[in-house]
Amino acid sequence: MGAEPDECVPERPVRRRRVDWREWAPLTLLTLAALLGGGLWLAGLRTAAQLVWAAVTLAALVPATWATLRQLWRRQFGVDVIGVLALVGTLLVCEYLASAVIAVMVGTGQALEGSAQRRASRDLRALLERAPRQARRRTPDGAIEVVPLDQVTAGDRLVVGPGDVVPVNGTVEEAATLDESVVTGESQLVTRAAGEQVAGGVVNAGAGFGLASA
């Protein structure tokens, strides 16, 4: 017997993530400064260009050195060590253009790593915020009761309404259209046939269906 969907759940507006340009400001400034040095070099102001490139190198060297020291303190060895050695080496031999290029590369790596960490943190917070606290369970007489999630046991017959987050792992009792992007990263909707396993945390993107908890 299929599950009757509850009242229609209004579609939630999709919030687009805005790029915080402040996160990329250090890398942008480093790149612009390195290009400025190139312009000064082409204009014949070689001493000024070398000073700008040296400043770019020092601006990247300070945070890279701090990150490297923290890694070494934790007995971790990453590519930051190579970057710091390259920056120091090019400064010692007065290869300012090379040092500026390496500085931009190191800054790019740090910016991408920081962005990935922030995105992972946002995704984890979003997943925790959407985690259901309750489930709708069918009683032996066919009624539906709302119970705390910790009271759901294996074999319980649950009802997942349109737009609901699947509360627990289980087996769908009829075909279901699911948004599994939060769990798998797949952006396309997935159709699960009756008897297939589904993971808790995915979103019901179609009609209501029954779920046998695992």
Side-chain angles (χ1 to χ4, degrees):
M1 179 177 178
E4 299 83 359
D6 291 347
E7 65 275 4
C8 295
V9 177
E11 184 178 355
R12 298 178 181 177
V14 178
R15 294 186 298 179
R16 297 181 179 179
R17 291 176 179 171
R18 296 181 179 178
V19 177
D20 188 352
W21 295 107
R22 293 174 296 180
E23 298 175 356
W24 299 93
L27 176 60
T28 302
L29 293 176
L30 279 179
T31 304
L32 292 177
L35 293 176
L36 174 61
L40 293 173
W41 182 274
L42 294 176
L45 303 174
R46 298 193 173 186
T47 301
Q50 290 176 341
L51 289 176
V52 171
W53 287 333
V56 169
T57 305
L58 291 175
L61 182 59
V62 172
T65 301
W66 177 247
T68 299
L69 291 176
R70 286 188 301 175
Q71 290 178 354
L72 294 177
W73 178 260
R74 300 170 184 171
R75 296 183 179 180
Q76 300 175 349
F77 301 90
V79 295
D80 286 339
V81 177
I82 300 175
V84 169
L85 293 177
L87 290 172
V88 173
T90 50
L91 279 180
L92 291 177
V93 298
C94 299
E95 291 290 343
Y96 299 110
L97 174 58
S99 64
V101 173
I102 297 173
V104 173
M105 294 173 61
V106 171
T108 301
Q110 291 176 339
L112 292 176
E113 181 180 2
S115 177
Q117 291 176 346
R118 287 186 292 271
R119 180 176 180 179
S121 298
R122 287 194 298 264
D123 290 344
L124 180 59
R125 285 196 300 269
L127 182 60
L128 292 176
E129 289 173 358
R130 299 182 64 177
R133 301 291 186 270
Q134 298 176 325
R136 283 175 288 183
R137 181 173 62 187
R138 286 190 179 277
T139 61
D141 58 3
I144 297 177
E145 61 178 355
V146 178
V147 297
L149 204 58
D150 57 6
Q151 293 185 13
V152 175
T153 59
D156 284 348
R157 296 185 62 204
L158 308 179
V159 176
V160 182
D164 285 355
V165 177
V166 177
V168 295
N169 298 340
T171 303
V172 294
E173 297 179 344
E174 52 265 326
T177 302
L178 303 171
D179 177 2
E180 300 182 348
S181 58
V182 175
V183 176
T184 65
E186 174 59 50
S187 59
Q188 299 294 328
L189 298 181
V190 178
T191 300
R192 299 295 181 186
E196 286 195 63
Q197 297 287 325
V198 297
V202 303
V203 180
N204 179 18
F209 61 90
L211 177 77
S213 62

